[in-house]
Amino acid sequence: MTDQTPQARLERAKEASRATAALTSDDKARVLEAIAVALEQNAAQIIEANGKDIVRGREGGIGESLIDRLRLDDKRVAALASAVRDVAALPDPVGRVVGGHRMPNGVALEQVRVPFGVVGAIYEARPNVTVDIAALALRSGNAIVLRGGSAALESNTVLVAVMRDAVAGAGLTPEAIQTVDDFGREGAKALMHGRGFIDVLVPRGSAGLIEAVVTESTVPVIETGAGNVHILLDESAPDDWARDIVVNAKVQRPSVCNAVETVLVHRQAAPRLVPLVASALQSEGVAIHGDDMVAGLVSNVIPATEKDWATEYLSLDIAMKVVDSLDEALEHIRRYSTGHTESIVTTDSRNAERFLAEVDSAVVMANASTRFTDGGEFGFGAEVGISTQKLHARGPMGLAELTSTKWLARGAGQTRG
């Protein structure tokens, strides 16, 4: 990749998108299998490059949550290859008939799914995204241009090279996978201003990164949002459900966007649930930022401030508040939620259904851990990101969200009078 400008990379991606759009479903599956095999065969090289990023990240003090997202080891590289195979096995969305009808004059109309063309992605410290988005883009018939950020530069350089070699070996032009990492901010700017070359841009990362991309871009953006995620422990929440769901949602992987950040507890259940849940969290090393009632029920509580209710910690910290009613809980979520994922723990079916109906987030759950908000868990193989907007894509984004539609009209000489 010797192009001297990011614009040249975008142009090559646009040209390559014609080739990716023409691939059959079997062709695309074959290309993805080649990528999966190449990831496995080059695991040592990938992990070595990743180690350099880890060392540089620690020296730069980027924080343990980003280090966790950045890290690749044998298990995670194997998981990447497995996710690519999962994507290859999914039904091809391209050509799928969405709808249609016959006009009164006999012209037959059919709406079908088609690739966007060129998908751009801007993200940070997540080398797994390099592979996941490339796989999803190719399976849906798109070319991809990646900007993975300086924190994962070594990892992404090797990953992109491995994938480009793999697709070339499978008979597809390697220009279908591009990176503008080596151009730094100039590369990111080219993506955001790539009208005519970038058909859709997906940012993944911090709230600041996403806001910058949404604000500056002149190309269409699918916004993936931060995750200020809530769990409400209702009056009827069983002890074991409350404890297990909250601990899983916070502790299993605290650095990700679907980890719970605030727990709301119904006042009638607070004496029963707050000590139980707090003790389980603290035994896992979680720092609790609580209101006055929580502090009165549990020791070693950090007094919560207004800032805590709006914070996405991405760490072993959690905010906990006692609410008087379901109405107060819903109001709190409306005020502070980022629209990502919320869950209620309850055996009251009316409260569960009301929560599911009234909470306006991309994913709303009853009696389940918020960690399930994930493309792989939803059966998408991988995900482009978790959209918190309200356009055609919302929640975990898979193959269908990387397609548009077009109308096909088949006539027999009809003209309009």
Side-chain angles (χ1 to χ4, degrees):
M1 299 182 71
T2 58
D3 305 288
Q4 296 304 306
T5 67
Q7 184 68 24
R9 303 264 176 94
L10 270 57
E11 292 171 0
R12 288 179 182 274
K14 190 67 173 180
E15 183 178 353
S17 70
R18 292 194 287 272
T20 57
L23 294 173
T24 67
S25 181
D26 288 345
D27 289 338
K28 287 181 275 192
R30 179 170 46 80
V31 168
L32 292 188
E33 175 60 24
I35 289 176
V37 170
L39 291 170
E40 292 168 339
Q41 292 177 342
N42 292 277
Q45 181 186 1
I46 294 166
I47 293 168
E48 180 183 0
N50 182 252
K52 297 176 183 177
D53 289 328
I54 295 290
V55 170
R56 191 174 64 254
R58 290 195 187 281
E59 291 174 347
I62 66 173
E64 285 305 310
S65 64
L66 281 181
I67 290 291
D68 179 60
R69 290 183 174 186
L70 181 60
R71 181 179 294 108
L72 291 177
D73 52 24
D74 286 320
K75 184 177 180 180
R76 288 189 179 182
V77 174
L80 284 178
S82 178
V84 172
R85 290 191 172 100
D86 289 343
V87 171
L90 293 172
D92 190 340
V94 177
R96 188 180 304 164
V97 177
V98 177
H101 61 277
R102 187 174 295 275
M103 296 169 64
N105 63 10
V107 173
L109 297 177
E110 193 174 53
Q111 187 183 22
V112 299
R113 291 204 174 276
V114 295
F116 273 122
V118 180
V119 176
I122 298 179
Y123 51 103
E124 52 191 3
R126 304 180 189 200
N128 64 296
V129 173
T130 301
V131 176
D132 287 348
I133 290 187
L136 289 164
L138 292 174
R139 184 59 173 154
S140 52
N142 296 288
I144 182 74
V145 183
L146 302 161
R147 165 70 166 112
S150 59
L153 181 60
E154 300 289 342
S155 306
N156 289 336
T157 298
V158 173
L159 287 169
V160 169
V162 166
M163 291 192 294
R164 282 172 61 90
D165 287 346
V167 301
L172 175 65
T173 172
E175 308 299 347
I177 302 176
Q178 301 282 351
T179 177
V180 292
D181 276 351
D182 47 323
F183 296 106
R185 293 185 177 181
E186 183 185 352
K189 186 175 181 179
L191 277 176
M192 291 186 284
H193 295 268
R195 287 181 63 86
F197 298 97
I198 300 299
D199 294 289
V200 65
L201 182 58
V202 183
R204 284 186 64 173
S206 66
L209 179 144
I210 293 166
E211 178 65 23
V213 172
V214 171
T215 302
E216 186 173 340
S217 291
T218 59
V219 300
V221 175
I222 296 177
E223 183 173 354
T224 62
N228 190 16
V229 171
H230 298 77
I231 293 177
L232 168 61
L233 303 181
D234 194 29
E235 183 177 0
S236 63
D239 289 3
D240 55 343
W241 288 11
R243 179 192 63 232
D244 294 349
I245 288 172
V246 171
V247 170
N248 177 260
K250 177 76 269 183
V251 173
Q252 193 213 25
R253 198 172 177 194
S255 65
V256 293
C257 60
N258 57 24
V260 65
E261 304 293 13
T262 297
V263 175
L264 304 174
V265 186
H266 193 288
R267 185 171 297 276
Q268 296 302 316
R272 172 174 61 91
L273 292 179
V274 168
L276 174 72
V277 173
S279 175
L281 288 168
Q282 289 174 333
S283 70
E284 296 286 348
V286 178
I288 297 173
H289 304 249
D291 67 4
D292 290 343
M293 186 166 185
V294 171
L297 293 168
V298 182
S299 59
N300 298 318
V301 170
I302 301 168
T305 66
E306 179 71 16
K307 182 180 178 181
D308 285 297
W309 311 132
T311 296
E312 182 187 21
Y313 294 109
L314 300 174
S315 62
L316 288 174
D317 292 85
I318 199 166
M320 186 174 289
K321 180 179 182 180
V322 175
V323 294
D324 288 331
S325 63
L326 175 58
D327 285 328
E328 184 181 345
L330 292 171
E331 177 57 34
H332 181 99
I333 292 170
R334 276 192 290 269
R335 181 173 179 180
Y336 297 103
S337 171
T338 55
H340 193 291
T341 303
E342 329 296 343
S343 184
I344 184 174
V345 181
T346 184
T347 58
D348 186 322
S349 60
R350 291 174 298 179
N351 285 354
E353 292 305 314
R354 185 179 169 203
F355 188 89
L356 292 170
E358 294 188 23
V359 172
D360 187 19
S361 291
V363 180
V364 188
M365 301 177 168
N367 301 319
S369 169
T370 59
R371 286 285 289 118
F372 286 116
T373 300
D374 176 86
E377 295 293 328
F378 275 29
F380 301 161
E383 69 184 22
V384 181
I386 297 173
S387 170
T388 54
Q389 65 173 22
K390 298 184 181 182
L391 300 180
H392 88 290
R394 196 179 191 196
M397 296 164 53
L399 293 174
E401 286 73 30
L402 289 184
T403 63
S404 182
T405 64
K406 71 178 180 182
W407 286 91
L408 306 179
R410 295 181 175 90
Q414 288 92 336
T415 61
R416 180 171 176 175

